[in-house]
Amino acid sequence: TPTGALLRWRACALHQGRGTSAESPTLPFLIQWVVDAGGRDWFGDRVRLTVHSAGWTSARALLIASPEPGRLADEYAGYFGWDRTGDARGRIDLGLSAGDAVNASLGPSAAVAVVGGKTESADPVDRVIAEAAGNRLARGAGALGMSIGSTNVGRTVAWLRRAGVRVTNSDDG
């Protein structure tokens, strides 16, 4: 690092295996930080640097559009040992059930939400996500977007609008 701390990592490349499909391509690699005292001190100081002027915090979930959300969720769960942490409203959430406790200073662990192009939910956010998934599926399955946490939604929305992003609010939670 610029401050002289030595960070150690382990990495592995992932190769195409059984069940890999066009909508779940092989990932390029995985990395794991090897935790030691020097790295922990350096990393602890980085947490305060993650505060963004828009008010958002960490990425909460990667949204993936799939014509068969259940099949893709099962495939990912098998590959990575993820758990189904939610299965409703037109999407299946995957993550690590105890993942939020891994590093509490960083907030909740990231997850993956596999979304189909339909929902029976009346919630406007669910409908927007389902519509976006349907539009993505019309071009082919794949990454749909990211869910990002925010410490102040009003500030984040104002920041995004100033940046020219179309924002749809839902005050229903």
Side-chain angles (χ1 to χ4, degrees), residues 90-116:
R91 74 169 191 259
I92 299 170
D93 297 332
L94 299 170
L96 299 173
S97 296
D100 292 354
V102 172
N103 191 336
S105 63
L106 291 178
S109 65
V112 170
V114 185
V115 184

Side-chain angles (χ1 to χ4, degrees), residues 97-154:
S97 296
D100 292 354
V102 172
N103 191 336
S105 63
L106 291 178
S109 65
V112 170
V114 185
V115 184
K118 299 175 185 160
T119 184
E120 300 298 321
S121 173
D123 182 277
V125 172
D126 293 335
R127 292 198 168 285
V128 166
I129 291 172
E131 180 182 348
N135 293 338
R136 176 64 175 105
L137 289 170
R139 299 186 322 269
L144 173 62
M146 289 181 59
S147 172
I148 300 173
S150 175
T151 57
N152 183 318
V153 172

Side-chain angles (χ1 to χ4, degrees), residues 12-18 20 25-29 79:
C12 69
L14 302 178
H15 302 283
Q16 199 163 11
R18 291 180 305 128
T20 301
T26 303
L27 298 175
F29 62 90
Y79 285 160

Side-chain angles (χ1 to χ4, degrees), residues 35-112:
V35 180
D36 58 18
R40 189 174 299 126
D41 289 343
W42 176 84
F43 189 75
D45 191 43
R46 304 296 104 185
V47 172
R48 69 177 174 76
L49 298 176
T50 63
V51 177
H52 191 277
S53 62
W56 51 54
T57 56
S58 61
R60 181 64 184 125
L62 171 65
L63 282 73
I64 301 173
S66 171
E68 299 179 66
R71 188 195 56 73
L72 185 61
D74 290 344
E75 191 173 321
Y76 279 9
Y79 285 160
F80 302 114
W82 293 335
D83 305 313
R84 280 190 185 212
T85 57
D87 189 343
R89 302 181 348 206
R91 74 169 191 259
I92 299 170
D93 297 332
L94 299 170
L96 299 173
S97 296
D100 292 354
V102 172
N103 191 336
S105 63
L106 291 178
S109 65
V112 170

